[in-house]
Amino acid sequence: MARADKKSLGESLVKEGIITPEQLKQAQEEEKRLGLRLRKVLVKLGYICEEDLVEFLSSKLGLPRIELNNFLIDPKIIELVPEELARKYELIPILKIGDRLTCSIVDPWNIFALDELGARTNLIIEPVIATEAQIKKALDQYYGTKGTMEEVIKSIDEAKLGIKETGELDLKKLEEITEEPVVIKLVNLIIMKAVKERVSDIHIEPEEDMLRTRFRIDGMLHEETSMPTHLQSAIISRIKIMANLDIAERRKPQDGRFTIKMEGRDIDVRVSCVPTIYGENIVLRLLDVSNALLGLNQLGFSREVLEKYQRLILRPHGIILVTGPTGCGKTTTLYASLDKINTPEKNIITIEDPVEYKLRGIRQIQVNPKVDLTFANGLRSILRQDPNVVMVGEIRDLETAEIAIQAALTGHLVFSTLHTNDAATAVTRLIDMGMESFLLSSSVIGVLAQRLVRTICQDCKEEYAPTQEELRDIGLLKDRTGIKFCRGKGCSNCMNTGYKGRIGIFELMIPNESICNLIISKAPTEEIRKKAIASGMVSLKEDGIQKIKKGLTSVEEVLRMTQEE
């Protein structure tokens, strides 16, 4: 940052021709008379607007300008700067990395503020710029209501906010309440806690006598702090405003999204809102877009399956299907696959709903039904873009399936997903849709089925001798001598669940001549499955058992995710 005291703000504005010398002189006289800083006087007199002044300061001092409304600030960061100092200089801390504290400040030209802040915190101050309105709002939000989620809930004054016992409010009053610092603080605390605890989905669910909150962590829902019903309208409307949804519409489902920044990370939040008998139910899906994409070798593939799959994705044409239920990691596998084969020599195009990660060097298209940009229509357009590799987010209908299969037969490598329980069922599902079996046998070069199982917490992991029942459930009763499995005792690092994180279990079916003949003859799923296992396919359950033996997961987890077998 350029030293702000080399030239005054006023002189710099005159030099750049933004204000005249006469305007500067008059502003300096008002500055002395009113006892305000020059920048406030310039805005007050109308010589420059707040937005233009912020842009000027950002450019002149070489400082980034931020939208403070998009940031979630950890209360521990707020505690580093006393409230009286923050309000005195109109600044707010937003991020600490090592011995450096990033602060958003109204007047970065005020080096006295930066020097005093550095001395009080014993940290190196890195200023960024935001508007005065945003900083004032943040000061009220973070310093005006302190404490945990439970303390904030207890501190809310119903009478002051004008909330009725039923929680029903007229639109104007609702809009006012959603901007109250205490309401903003409460919603931010919910999201902040979720991000810290690695939550994938936040469920905010109205009940008859409370507003229930649940977090999905590693695929399992956990109860969180419940809130009184009189906060329902305010909390749900605040989230809808953040997602740019219509707070007046409470009768039909709505979908939206927003992005927040927390501790230097970009968090994409997808919001789904549906009406229920007790009010609107909200689910927020959190996606940390600043996380690096996982490589194929980080997903949990065994060495043998990984080698086979990597050879498969290097094929010049054909269709590869990834199958499994919602939330089993199919998209992560597809992204890792595309990243593996992404080279300057290949033109890779995707059509997705939604686009979850931005992949460098890959053209990605977002489905948009409002303009009739469906998977099928988008795929037709993609094939006119001279692609080598195409990824279709999901095959949902016969039309999309037919275009994808034809693309695979005409020299393209196609990736897509299906919602089926195992690899063999993917083929019969497409036949049920109306696909010709001989086309499938000619185009499908591989089907990968997967699940996600929770991994045992490394901080409380212990060995134990499995029971006969456990061995019988996974087919190891004959080999019970000396077998040791692992489990998590439960600790603070895993929220006493014994698990932390997840890993994939996989089965990879590569159709050979025998399997292709079964596909052509429209053989039952079980017959195709048996032939695939006889040809060397390791089933989901068997892959899970191998991970149990390695101490990565538990018998309960593998049985939970493969019980349909």
Side-chain angles (χ1 to χ4, degrees):
M1 169 186 154
R3 286 296 289 176
D5 55 347
K6 287 185 177 179
K7 187 184 290 291
S8 74
L9 171 61
E11 290 172 337
S12 295
L13 290 169
V14 170
K15 184 179 178 180
E16 297 294 329
I18 297 173
I19 63 173
T20 66
E22 291 74 20
Q23 288 174 328
L24 174 60
K25 182 178 180 182
Q26 184 176 353
Q28 287 171 334
E29 290 173 356
E30 286 293 295
E31 179 185 15
K32 293 176 182 177
R33 187 177 71 84
L34 298 174
L36 298 175
R37 292 193 63 82
L38 180 63
R39 60 163 288 149
K40 289 183 179 291
V41 175
L42 290 168
V43 172
K44 182 179 176 65
L45 293 174
Y47 295 156
I48 187 170
C49 71
E50 176 78 8
E51 283 292 326
D52 290 344
L53 183 56
V54 168
E55 289 298 327
F56 171 78
L57 290 170
S58 175
S59 174
K60 188 68 177 176
L61 300 178
L63 297 176
R65 186 225 170 128
I66 67 166
E67 291 298 322
L68 201 51
N69 294 337
N70 295 336
F71 278 77
L72 290 186
I73 308 172
D74 192 322
K76 292 180 180 178
I77 300 297
I78 295 295
E79 290 172 3
L80 295 173
V81 178
E83 181 176 357
E84 48 87 14
L85 189 64
R87 291 193 182 276
K88 175 182 177 182
Y89 292 121
E90 293 180 310
L91 57 84
I92 193 159
I94 58 175
L95 178 66
K96 179 180 179 291
I97 300 177
D99 62 350
R100 296 181 178 273
L101 181 65
T102 301
C103 288
S104 183
I105 185 169
V106 167
D107 188 2
W109 220 281
N110 187 351
I111 62 169
F112 301 106
L114 302 179
D115 289 345
E116 183 175 351
L117 183 59
R120 293 279 290 272
T121 62
N122 200 29
L123 295 168
I124 299 169
I125 306 303
E126 294 188 344
V128 295
I129 303 174
T131 65
E132 181 178 357
Q134 287 185 0
I135 289 180
K136 282 187 172 181
K137 183 177 179 180
L139 286 170
D140 291 338
Q141 177 184 328
Y142 288 101
Y143 286 102
T145 52
K146 299 179 181 178
T148 64
M149 195 186 307
E150 293 81 0
E151 290 169 341
V152 172
I153 292 171
K154 289 178 181 178
S155 73
I156 294 178
D157 187 335
E158 299 172 42
K160 182 178 178 182
L161 291 181
I163 301 176
K164 301 174 185 177
E165 184 61 33
T166 61
E168 293 295 330
L169 302 163
D170 62 61
L171 186 59
K172 183 179 179 182
K173 185 61 180 177
L174 196 55
E175 289 174 344
E176 292 174 0
I177 288 178
T178 57
E179 293 302 316
E180 285 286 341
V182 68
V183 175
I184 296 172
K185 173 81 169 181
L186 184 53
V187 172
N188 286 355
L189 280 174
I190 293 170
I191 299 174
M192 198 179 303
K193 184 178 182 185
V195 172
K196 287 183 176 180
E197 294 182 0
R198 305 175 297 105
V199 170
S200 61
D201 301 85
I202 303 171
H203 291 243
I204 299 177
E205 305 162 326
E207 301 281 357
E208 184 176 10
D209 57 352
M210 67 176 177
L211 185 63
R212 184 167 71 160
T213 305
R214 293 192 291 172
F215 287 171
R216 188 177 295 280
I217 303 172
D218 294 334
M220 304 293 284
L221 280 170
H222 300 267
E223 289 274 2
E224 278 298 315
T225 304
S226 294
M227 293 171 279
T229 54
H230 63 256
L231 293 179
Q232 180 174 318
S233 294
I235 298 299
I236 290 175
S237 296
R238 174 62 197 167
I239 294 170
K240 289 173 71 174
I241 282 177
M242 294 171 74
N244 199 28
L245 300 179
D246 183 1
I247 64 172
E249 178 55 72
R250 304 172 193 174
R251 300 165 299 170
K252 66 181 182 181
Q254 296 186 71
D255 296 297
R257 67 194 304 167
F258 59 92
T259 301
I260 55 172
K261 292 181 180 290
M262 180 177 167
E263 298 177 349
R265 298 148 61 193
D266 288 329
I267 311 295
D268 188 45
V269 184
R270 299 205 302 266
V271 179
S272 172
C273 176
V274 297
T276 71
I277 59 172
Y278 294 120
E280 291 174 289
N281 195 88
I282 296 270
V283 176
L284 298 87
R285 172 153 289 187
L286 309 181
L287 183 68
D288 190 344
V289 295
S290 28
N291 272 353
L293 286 174
L294 295 176
L296 285 174
N297 60 347
Q298 298 174 288
L299 301 181
F301 284 105
S302 66
R303 182 176 57 82
E304 296 79 7
V305 173
L306 180 59
E307 288 175 357
K308 289 179 182 179
Y309 185 70
Q310 288 186 139
R311 286 196 297 269
L312 205 61
I313 65 177
L314 291 174
R315 299 267 290 270
H317 53 80
I319 184 165
I320 298 171
L321 299 170
V322 180
T323 77
T326 300
C328 73
K330 297 187 297 294
T331 302
T332 300
T333 299
L334 287 176
Y335 280 167
S337 304
L338 294 179
D339 189 57
K340 180 71 175 179
I341 63 175
N342 186 17
T343 64
E345 294 78 27
K346 291 180 179 176
N347 181 21
I348 302 176
I349 307 179
T350 75
I351 180 159
E352 308 170 54
D353 184 25
V355 174
E356 294 193 357
Y357 287 96
K358 296 176 182 177
L359 304 174
R360 188 174 182 83
I362 294 176
R363 263 57 60 197
Q364 295 172 270
I365 301 169
Q366 168 72 53
V367 165
N368 186 356
K370 292 180 180 178
V371 294
D372 201 29
L373 180 53
T374 61
F375 279 119
N377 292 339
L379 185 51
R380 286 193 188 92
S381 298
I382 286 173
L383 295 177
R384 295 192 286 269
Q385 290 281 312
D386 186 32
N388 299 101
V389 180
V390 175
M391 192 267 271
V392 184
E394 183 183 346
I395 293 178
R396 296 176 179 171
D397 51 53
L398 177 60
E399 185 181 14
T400 305
E402 287 177 335
I403 302 169
I405 295 297
Q406 286 299 326
L409 291 171
T410 53
H412 303 88
L413 181 63
V414 180
F415 292 87
S416 192
T417 70
L418 274 175
H419 288 279
T420 63
N421 288 332
D422 55 36
T425 308
V427 175
T428 52
R429 173 66 57 82
L430 289 171
I431 292 173
D432 290 342
M433 280 185 184
M435 281 301 305
E436 295 290 349
S437 58
F438 70 90
L439 292 177
L440 290 176
S441 67
S442 303
S443 59
V444 176
I445 60 175
V447 184
L448 180 74
Q450 67 179 72
R451 298 287 190 281
L452 290 175
V453 294
R454 292 182 293 173
T455 50
I456 296 168
C457 175
Q458 295 300 306
D459 294 306
C460 59
K461 185 176 180 179
E462 65 175 5
E463 275 194 348
Y464 76 101
T467 65
Q468 285 196 350
E469 184 180 359
E470 285 179 310
L471 293 172
R472 183 173 58 250
D473 287 341
I474 58 175
L476 294 178
L477 196 57
K478 294 180 181 179
D479 309 318
R480 63 180 179 272
T481 306
I483 287 183
K484 293 286 186 181
F485 290 165
C486 292
R487 63 189 171 196
K489 293 184 292 185
C491 65
S492 58
N493 289 324
C494 62
M495 299 174 61
N496 292 312
T497 62
Y499 300 98
K500 189 173 183 181
R502 290 190 288 178
I503 193 170
I505 57 174
F506 303 90
E507 65 178 27
L508 177 62
M509 184 179 80
I510 301 177
N512 55 22
E513 185 177 353
S514 298
I515 295 173
C516 286
N517 288 334
L518 290 174
I519 294 172
I520 291 172
S521 64
K522 299 182 181 180
T525 298
E526 190 55 34
E527 195 173 336
I528 296 173
R529 178 176 173 75
K530 286 179 180 178
K531 180 61 70 174
I533 291 174
S535 301
M537 182 183 82
V538 176
S539 71
L540 283 167
K541 189 171 184 178
E542 183 58 38
D543 191 38
I545 291 170
Q546 296 305 316
K547 289 179 170 65
I548 293 171
K549 290 179 177 180
K550 291 178 181 179
L552 296 174
T553 190
S554 68
V555 173
E556 292 81 7
E557 273 299 286
V558 172
L559 291 177
R560 181 173 69 87
M561 299 309 298
T562 62
Q563 58 187 354
E564 68 272 8
E565 298 184 18

